[in-house]
Amino acid sequence: MTQTPDSIADARRVPLPRPGPGAPQRRMAEMLRVDHAGEFAAVHIYRAQRAILGDRKGMEQITGDLTEMEGHEQVHLDRFNALLNEHKVRPTAMIPVWKIAATVLGAGTALIGEKAAHACTEAVESVIEEHYADQIKEIRDRDPDLAAELTQFREEELAHHDHAIAHGSREAPAYRLLSSVIKVGCKAAIKISERI
């Protein structure tokens, strides 16, 4: 069952707007910077997984799935590139680090196997969809158009999450440990990308 952004965000603390002149613009910059970074990383995770699994016999199904999901993330990334330009916001300075980290994560989970690649998708998308749900609640009154876009992106991330579970993510070796480590890394990357 899909949870609504309200039901998820109500269970967590949504950041309050910072006081002072320019506060809404600063908060928007943080949001766009971190969302851009997340979509950038997702593209590179899927790309690295596809590079490893695409050459293996019997992996045509997951390779096709990875290609499709990477395409969705590229659409999101392109939109955030445009929003960064529109709002005159620079991307995070961590982009080169996130590219390496995402590539290593994608390749590493693919080398473990198909189910580990799905576990990576489940973990990453669970953090991202929660993050989008919080943002949607935060901005829906002051920027309903962006909130609507984020809602669409969140639905696509949830579809990736659910697809990964349906294809055995929870049967991956050391699933709980793998999932926990990936989630902690994603949450840390969100906080860093907002600031740097």
Side-chain angles (χ1 to χ4, degrees):
M1 180 175 144
T2 302
Q3 294 179 300
T4 65
D6 286 343
S7 66
I8 292 171
D10 285 344
R12 293 188 309 272
R13 181 182 171 272
V14 175
L16 295 173
R18 291 192 179 88
Q25 292 86 355
R26 283 194 302 275
R27 180 61 186 140
M28 179 61 73
E30 289 174 357
M31 291 173 64
L32 295 178
R33 189 165 33 254
V34 72
D35 291 349
H36 172 268
E39 299 297 350
F40 177 87
V43 166
H44 286 282
I45 290 169
Y46 287 129
R47 191 171 293 165
Q49 288 176 334
R50 194 166 42 83
I52 298 294
L53 295 172
D55 293 335
R56 294 186 185 175
K57 186 174 175 146
M59 294 291 168
E60 295 80 12
Q61 176 66 48
I62 189 171
T63 301
D65 293 343
L66 293 169
T67 301
E68 182 178 347
M69 291 187 289
E70 181 187 331
H72 297 158
E73 305 298 357
Q74 186 64 56
V75 169
H76 301 175
L77 177 59
D78 292 344
R79 181 61 182 138
F80 283 116
N81 278 325
L83 286 166
L84 287 178
N85 288 330
E86 180 183 323
H87 290 271
K88 296 179 176 50
V89 174
R90 63 160 178 79
T92 176
M94 298 296 290
I95 282 289
V97 175
W98 297 157
K99 182 176 181 179
I100 293 167
T103 301
V104 168
L105 177 59
T109 53
L111 286 168
I112 295 169
E114 180 179 356
K115 293 189 188 312
H118 285 307
C120 176
T121 295
E122 180 193 349
V124 170
E125 301 293 24
S126 70
V127 172
I128 298 305
E129 75 84 7
E130 288 177 2
H131 177 71
Y132 277 150
D134 287 343
Q135 288 186 339
I136 291 161
K137 182 167 185 181
E138 182 181 349
I139 67 166
R140 68 180 168 208
D141 292 333
R142 73 173 185 263
D143 195 337
D145 292 338
L146 181 56
E149 285 189 274
L150 294 183
T151 299
Q152 178 186 339
F153 293 172
R154 178 179 176 267
E155 289 301 320
E156 290 171 1
E157 308 298 1
L158 278 168
H160 298 170
H161 171 274
D162 295 347
H163 178 85
I165 293 172
H167 286 80
S169 62
R170 295 179 180 179
E171 299 165 25
Y175 164 76
R176 288 185 186 203
L177 176 62
L178 181 63
S179 180
S180 295
V181 168
I182 293 170
K183 286 178 181 179
V184 167
C186 289
K187 289 174 183 177
I190 286 170
K191 292 299 180 192
I192 293 167
S193 296
E194 281 180 342
R195 304 291 182 230
I196 298 176

PDB file of all heavy atoms in Angstrom, residues 31-55:
ATOM      1  N   MET A  31      17.196  22.652  -1.155  1.00  0.00           N
ATOM      2  CA  MET A  31      16.353  21.583  -1.682  1.00  0.00           C
ATOM      3  C   MET A  31      16.769  21.192  -3.094  1.00  0.00           C
ATOM      4  O   MET A  31      16.915  20.000  -3.403  1.00  0.00           O
ATOM      5  CB  MET A  31      14.885  22.013  -1.658  1.00  0.00           C
ATOM      6  CG  MET A  31      14.323  22.133  -0.264  1.00  0.00           C
ATOM      7  SD  MET A  31      12.656  22.828  -0.229  1.00  0.00           S
ATOM      8  CE  MET A  31      11.738  21.580  -1.095  1.00  0.00           C
ATOM      9  N   LEU A  32      16.950  22.182  -3.951  1.00  0.00           N
ATOM     10  CA  LEU A  32      17.313  21.879  -5.337  1.00  0.00           C
ATOM     11  C   LEU A  32      18.694  21.238  -5.419  1.00  0.00           C
ATOM     12  O   LEU A  32      18.910  20.312  -6.209  1.00  0.00           O
ATOM     13  CB  LEU A  32      17.263  23.150  -6.183  1.00  0.00           C
ATOM     14  CG  LEU A  32      15.876  23.778  -6.355  1.00  0.00           C
ATOM     15  CD1 LEU A  32      15.980  25.060  -7.173  1.00  0.00           C
ATOM     16  CD2 LEU A  32      14.893  22.798  -6.981  1.00  0.00           C
ATOM     17  N   ARG A  33      19.614  21.730  -4.603  1.00  0.00           N
ATOM     18  CA  ARG A  33      20.978  21.189  -4.617  1.00  0.00           C
ATOM     19  C   ARG A  33      20.981  19.708  -4.224  1.00  0.00           C
ATOM     20  O   ARG A  33      21.601  18.875  -4.876  1.00  0.00           O
ATOM     21  CB  ARG A  33      21.861  22.013  -3.672  1.00  0.00           C
ATOM     22  CG  ARG A  33      23.319  21.698  -3.758  1.00  0.00           C
ATOM     23  CD  ARG A  33      24.224  22.727  -3.106  1.00  0.00           C
ATOM     24  NE  ARG A  33      23.711  23.411  -1.945  1.00  0.00           N
ATOM     25  CZ  ARG A  33      23.299  24.683  -1.942  1.00  0.00           C
ATOM     26  NH1 ARG A  33      23.353  25.406  -3.046  1.00  0.00           N
ATOM     27  NH2 ARG A  33      22.857  25.238  -0.835  1.00  0.00           N
ATOM     28  N   VAL A  34      20.259  19.363  -3.171  1.00  0.00           N
ATOM     29  CA  VAL A  34      20.263  17.976  -2.711  1.00  0.00           C
ATOM     30  C   VAL A  34      19.471  17.074  -3.662  1.00  0.00           C
ATOM     31  O   VAL A  34      19.862  15.934  -3.909  1.00  0.00           O
ATOM     32  CB  VAL A  34      19.761  17.857  -1.252  1.00  0.00           C
ATOM     33  CG1 VAL A  34      18.279  18.080  -1.140  1.00  0.00           C
ATOM     34  CG2 VAL A  34      20.147  16.519  -0.662  1.00  0.00           C
ATOM     35  N   ASP A  35      18.376  17.576  -4.210  1.00  0.00           N
ATOM     36  CA  ASP A  35      17.597  16.761  -5.148  1.00  0.00           C
ATOM     37  C   ASP A  35      18.388  16.487  -6.422  1.00  0.00           C
ATOM     38  O   ASP A  35      18.363  15.371  -6.955  1.00  0.00           O
ATOM     39  CB  ASP A  35      16.265  17.442  -5.470  1.00  0.00           C
ATOM     40  CG  ASP A  35      15.324  17.466  -4.275  1.00  0.00           C
ATOM     41  OD1 ASP A  35      15.613  16.788  -3.261  1.00  0.00           O
ATOM     42  OD2 ASP A  35      14.301  18.175  -4.343  1.00  0.00           O
ATOM     43  N   HIS A  36      19.076  17.491  -6.906  1.00  0.00           N
ATOM     44  CA  HIS A  36      19.943  17.307  -8.070  1.00  0.00           C
ATOM     45  C   HIS A  36      21.012  16.258  -7.775  1.00  0.00           C
ATOM     46  O   HIS A  36      21.255  15.348  -8.572  1.00  0.00           O
ATOM     47  CB  HIS A  36      20.591  18.643  -8.449  1.00  0.00           C
ATOM     48  CG  HIS A  36      21.638  18.531  -9.502  1.00  0.00           C
ATOM     49  ND1 HIS A  36      22.979  18.366  -9.192  1.00  0.00           N
ATOM     50  CD2 HIS A  36      21.560  18.545 -10.853  1.00  0.00           C
ATOM     51  CE1 HIS A  36      23.671  18.281 -10.310  1.00  0.00           C
ATOM     52  NE2 HIS A  36      22.837  18.393 -11.333  1.00  0.00           N
ATOM     53  N   ALA A  37      21.646  16.362  -6.610  1.00  0.00           N
ATOM     54  CA  ALA A  37      22.699  15.414  -6.238  1.00  0.00           C
ATOM     55  C   ALA A  37      22.160  13.991  -6.153  1.00  0.00           C
ATOM     56  O   ALA A  37      22.808  13.037  -6.613  1.00  0.00           O
ATOM     57  CB  ALA A  37      23.333  15.823  -4.911  1.00  0.00           C
ATOM     58  N   GLY A  38      20.970  13.843  -5.582  1.00  0.00           N
ATOM     59  CA  GLY A  38      20.382  12.513  -5.458  1.00  0.00           C
ATOM     60  C   GLY A  38      20.067  11.879  -6.792  1.00  0.00           C
ATOM     61  O   GLY A  38      20.346  10.691  -7.011  1.00  0.00           O
ATOM     62  N   GLU A  39      19.511  12.659  -7.709  1.00  0.00           N
ATOM     63  CA  GLU A  39      19.200  12.117  -9.034  1.00  0.00           C
ATOM     64  C   GLU A  39      20.476  11.830  -9.828  1.00  0.00           C
ATOM     65  O   GLU A  39      20.554  10.838 -10.555  1.00  0.00           O
ATOM     66  CB  GLU A  39      18.280  13.072  -9.796  1.00  0.00           C
ATOM     67  CG  GLU A  39      16.937  13.315  -9.125  1.00  0.00           C
ATOM     68  CD  GLU A  39      16.060  12.073  -8.987  1.00  0.00           C
ATOM     69  OE1 GLU A  39      16.382  11.011  -9.574  1.00  0.00           O
ATOM     70  OE2 GLU A  39      15.041  12.163  -8.271  1.00  0.00           O
ATOM     71  N   PHE A  40      21.478  12.686  -9.664  1.00  0.00           N
ATOM     72  CA  PHE A  40      22.778  12.464 -10.295  1.00  0.00           C
ATOM     73  C   PHE A  40      23.369  11.133  -9.829  1.00  0.00           C
ATOM     74  O   PHE A  40      23.827  10.323 -10.632  1.00  0.00           O
ATOM     75  CB  PHE A  40      23.718  13.629  -9.954  1.00  0.00           C
ATOM     76  CG  PHE A  40      25.109  13.485 -10.474  1.00  0.00           C
ATOM     77  CD1 PHE A  40      25.437  13.922 -11.750  1.00  0.00           C
ATOM     78  CD2 PHE A  40      26.111  12.911  -9.692  1.00  0.00           C
ATOM     79  CE1 PHE A  40      26.733  13.786 -12.235  1.00  0.00           C
ATOM     80  CE2 PHE A  40      27.399  12.777 -10.175  1.00  0.00           C
ATOM     81  CZ  PHE A  40      27.711  13.213 -11.446  1.00  0.00           C
ATOM     82  N   ALA A  41      23.334  10.911  -8.515  1.00  0.00           N
ATOM     83  CA  ALA A  41      23.874   9.663  -7.961  1.00  0.00           C
ATOM     84  C   ALA A  41      23.078   8.459  -8.453  1.00  0.00           C
ATOM     85  O   ALA A  41      23.660   7.420  -8.806  1.00  0.00           O
ATOM     86  CB  ALA A  41      23.883   9.724  -6.442  1.00  0.00           C
ATOM     87  N   ALA A  42      21.745   8.582  -8.495  1.00  0.00           N
ATOM     88  CA  ALA A  42      20.910   7.463  -8.939  1.00  0.00           C
ATOM     89  C   ALA A  42      21.244   7.050 -10.367  1.00  0.00           C
ATOM     90  O   ALA A  42      21.347   5.855 -10.675  1.00  0.00           O
ATOM     91  CB  ALA A  42      19.434   7.829  -8.822  1.00  0.00           C
ATOM     92  N   VAL A  43      21.436   8.028 -11.249  1.00  0.00           N
ATOM     93  CA  VAL A  43      21.814   7.718 -12.635  1.00  0.00           C
ATOM     94  C   VAL A  43      23.107   6.905 -12.650  1.00  0.00           C
ATOM     95  O   VAL A  43      23.223   5.897 -13.355  1.00  0.00           O
ATOM     96  CB  VAL A  43      21.972   9.012 -13.466  1.00  0.00           C
ATOM     97  CG1 VAL A  43      22.685   8.736 -14.787  1.00  0.00           C
ATOM     98  CG2 VAL A  43      20.613   9.652 -13.721  1.00  0.00           C
ATOM     99  N   HIS A  44      24.073   7.308 -11.838  1.00  0.00           N
ATOM    100  CA  HIS A  44      25.373   6.621 -11.844  1.00  0.00           C
ATOM    101  C   HIS A  44      25.327   5.257 -11.166  1.00  0.00           C
ATOM    102  O   HIS A  44      26.057   4.343 -11.571  1.00  0.00           O
ATOM    103  CB  HIS A  44      26.447   7.533 -11.253  1.00  0.00           C
ATOM    104  CG  HIS A  44      26.818   8.630 -12.199  1.00  0.00           C
ATOM    105  ND1 HIS A  44      27.652   8.447 -13.270  1.00  0.00           N
ATOM    106  CD2 HIS A  44      26.410   9.920 -12.266  1.00  0.00           C
ATOM    107  CE1 HIS A  44      27.768   9.567 -13.948  1.00  0.00           C
ATOM    108  NE2 HIS A  44      27.007  10.478 -13.361  1.00  0.00           N
ATOM    109  N   ILE A  45      24.457   5.084 -10.178  1.00  0.00           N
ATOM    110  CA  ILE A  45      24.280   3.753  -9.583  1.00  0.00           C
ATOM    111  C   ILE A  45      23.741   2.788 -10.630  1.00  0.00           C
ATOM    112  O   ILE A  45      24.287   1.705 -10.841  1.00  0.00           O
ATOM    113  CB  ILE A  45      23.335   3.811  -8.364  1.00  0.00           C
ATOM    114  CG1 ILE A  45      24.005   4.533  -7.191  1.00  0.00           C
ATOM    115  CG2 ILE A  45      22.910   2.395  -7.945  1.00  0.00           C
ATOM    116  CD1 ILE A  45      23.056   4.853  -6.046  1.00  0.00           C
ATOM    117  N   TYR A  46      22.646   3.177 -11.284  1.00  0.00           N
ATOM    118  CA  TYR A  46      22.035   2.297 -12.285  1.00  0.00           C
ATOM    119  C   TYR A  46      22.983   2.042 -13.459  1.00  0.00           C
ATOM    120  O   TYR A  46      23.061   0.929 -13.978  1.00  0.00           O
ATOM    121  CB  TYR A  46      20.709   2.877 -12.787  1.00  0.00           C
ATOM    122  CG  TYR A  46      19.592   2.773 -11.784  1.00  0.00           C
ATOM    123  CD1 TYR A  46      18.817   3.879 -11.447  1.00  0.00           C
ATOM    124  CD2 TYR A  46      19.286   1.564 -11.173  1.00  0.00           C
ATOM    125  CE1 TYR A  46      17.779   3.787 -10.530  1.00  0.00           C
ATOM    126  CE2 TYR A  46      18.250   1.456 -10.259  1.00  0.00           C
ATOM    127  CZ  TYR A  46      17.507   2.573  -9.938  1.00  0.00           C
ATOM    128  OH  TYR A  46      16.474   2.474  -9.028  1.00  0.00           O
ATOM    129  N   ARG A  47      23.705   3.055 -13.869  1.00  0.00           N
ATOM    130  CA  ARG A  47      24.649   2.909 -14.980  1.00  0.00           C
ATOM    131  C   ARG A  47      25.739   1.893 -14.634  1.00  0.00           C
ATOM    132  O   ARG A  47      26.087   1.040 -15.455  1.00  0.00           O
ATOM    133  CB  ARG A  47      25.256   4.277 -15.305  1.00  0.00           C
ATOM    134  CG  ARG A  47      26.042   4.315 -16.588  1.00  0.00           C
ATOM    135  CD  ARG A  47      26.410   5.739 -16.938  1.00  0.00           C
ATOM    136  NE  ARG A  47      25.216   6.502 -17.269  1.00  0.00           N
ATOM    137  CZ  ARG A  47      25.165   7.830 -17.345  1.00  0.00           C
ATOM    138  NH1 ARG A  47      26.241   8.545 -17.085  1.00  0.00           N
ATOM    139  NH2 ARG A  47      24.053   8.442 -17.672  1.00  0.00           N
ATOM    140  N   ALA A  48      26.264   1.975 -13.411  1.00  0.00           N
ATOM    141  CA  ALA A  48      27.322   1.045 -12.993  1.00  0.00           C
ATOM    142  C   ALA A  48      26.778  -0.374 -12.861  1.00  0.00           C
ATOM    143  O   ALA A  48      27.442  -1.339 -13.260  1.00  0.00           O
ATOM    144  CB  ALA A  48      27.928   1.513 -11.672  1.00  0.00           C
ATOM    145  N   GLN A  49      25.572  -0.513 -12.321  1.00  0.00           N
ATOM    146  CA  GLN A  49      24.973  -1.846 -12.213  1.00  0.00           C
ATOM    147  C   GLN A  49      24.754  -2.458 -13.591  1.00  0.00           C
ATOM    148  O   GLN A  49      25.028  -3.643 -13.809  1.00  0.00           O
ATOM    149  CB  GLN A  49      23.641  -1.763 -11.454  1.00  0.00           C
ATOM    150  CG  GLN A  49      23.814  -1.495  -9.977  1.00  0.00           C
ATOM    151  CD  GLN A  49      22.498  -1.326  -9.244  1.00  0.00           C
ATOM    152  OE1 GLN A  49      21.486  -0.934  -9.841  1.00  0.00           O
ATOM    153  NE2 GLN A  49      22.500  -1.606  -7.957  1.00  0.00           N
ATOM    154  N   ARG A  50      24.286  -1.641 -14.508  1.00  0.00           N
ATOM    155  CA  ARG A  50      24.037  -2.124 -15.866  1.00  0.00           C
ATOM    156  C   ARG A  50      25.331  -2.538 -16.551  1.00  0.00           C
ATOM    157  O   ARG A  50      25.381  -3.538 -17.276  1.00  0.00           O
ATOM    158  CB  ARG A  50      23.327  -1.023 -16.665  1.00  0.00           C
ATOM    159  CG  ARG A  50      22.718  -1.471 -17.957  1.00  0.00           C
ATOM    160  CD  ARG A  50      21.752  -0.430 -18.508  1.00  0.00           C
ATOM    161  NE  ARG A  50      22.186   0.926 -18.416  1.00  0.00           N
ATOM    162  CZ  ARG A  50      22.998   1.521 -19.283  1.00  0.00           C
ATOM    163  NH1 ARG A  50      23.487   0.838 -20.300  1.00  0.00           N
ATOM    164  NH2 ARG A  50      23.329   2.780 -19.130  1.00  0.00           N
ATOM    165  N   ALA A  51      26.398  -1.795 -16.301  1.00  0.00           N
ATOM    166  CA  ALA A  51      27.691  -2.118 -16.909  1.00  0.00           C
ATOM    167  C   ALA A  51      28.194  -3.481 -16.430  1.00  0.00           C
ATOM    168  O   ALA A  51      28.784  -4.236 -17.208  1.00  0.00           O
ATOM    169  CB  ALA A  51      28.719  -1.038 -16.571  1.00  0.00           C
ATOM    170  N   ILE A  52      27.956  -3.808 -15.173  1.00  0.00           N
ATOM    171  CA  ILE A  52      28.402  -5.100 -14.630  1.00  0.00           C
ATOM    172  C   ILE A  52      27.471  -6.227 -15.064  1.00  0.00           C
ATOM    173  O   ILE A  52      27.913  -7.263 -15.551  1.00  0.00           O
ATOM    174  CB  ILE A  52      28.471  -5.055 -13.081  1.00  0.00           C
ATOM    175  CG1 ILE A  52      29.478  -4.014 -12.603  1.00  0.00           C
ATOM    176  CG2 ILE A  52      28.778  -6.444 -12.515  1.00  0.00           C
ATOM    177  CD1 ILE A  52      30.914  -4.288 -12.923  1.00  0.00           C
ATOM    178  N   LEU A  53      26.184  -6.046 -14.887  1.00  0.00           N
ATOM    179  CA  LEU A  53      25.233  -7.128 -15.142  1.00  0.00           C
ATOM    180  C   LEU A  53      24.902  -7.304 -16.616  1.00  0.00           C
ATOM    181  O   LEU A  53      24.490  -8.392 -17.029  1.00  0.00           O
ATOM    182  CB  LEU A  53      23.947  -6.883 -14.346  1.00  0.00           C
ATOM    183  CG  LEU A  53      24.112  -6.942 -12.825  1.00  0.00           C
ATOM    184  CD1 LEU A  53      22.826  -6.498 -12.136  1.00  0.00           C
ATOM    185  CD2 LEU A  53      24.503  -8.338 -12.368  1.00  0.00           C
ATOM    186  N   GLY A  54      25.097  -6.267 -17.406  1.00  0.00           N
ATOM    187  CA  GLY A  54      24.720  -6.326 -18.820  1.00  0.00           C
ATOM    188  C   GLY A  54      25.489  -7.346 -19.631  1.00  0.00           C
ATOM    189  O   GLY A  54      25.001  -7.834 -20.652  1.00  0.00           O
ATOM    190  N   ASP A  55      26.688  -7.716 -19.187  1.00  0.00           N
ATOM    191  CA  ASP A  55      27.506  -8.682 -19.923  1.00  0.00           C
ATOM    192  C   ASP A  55      27.289 -10.115 -19.467  1.00  0.00           C
ATOM    193  O   ASP A  55      27.864 -11.035 -20.039  1.00  0.00           O
ATOM    194  CB  ASP A  55      28.998  -8.333 -19.772  1.00  0.00           C
ATOM    195  CG  ASP A  55      29.354  -7.020 -20.460  1.00  0.00           C
ATOM    196  OD1 ASP A  55      28.638  -6.644 -21.414  1.00  0.00           O
ATOM    197  OD2 ASP A  55      30.324  -6.371 -20.038  1.00  0.00           O
TER     198      ASP A  55
END
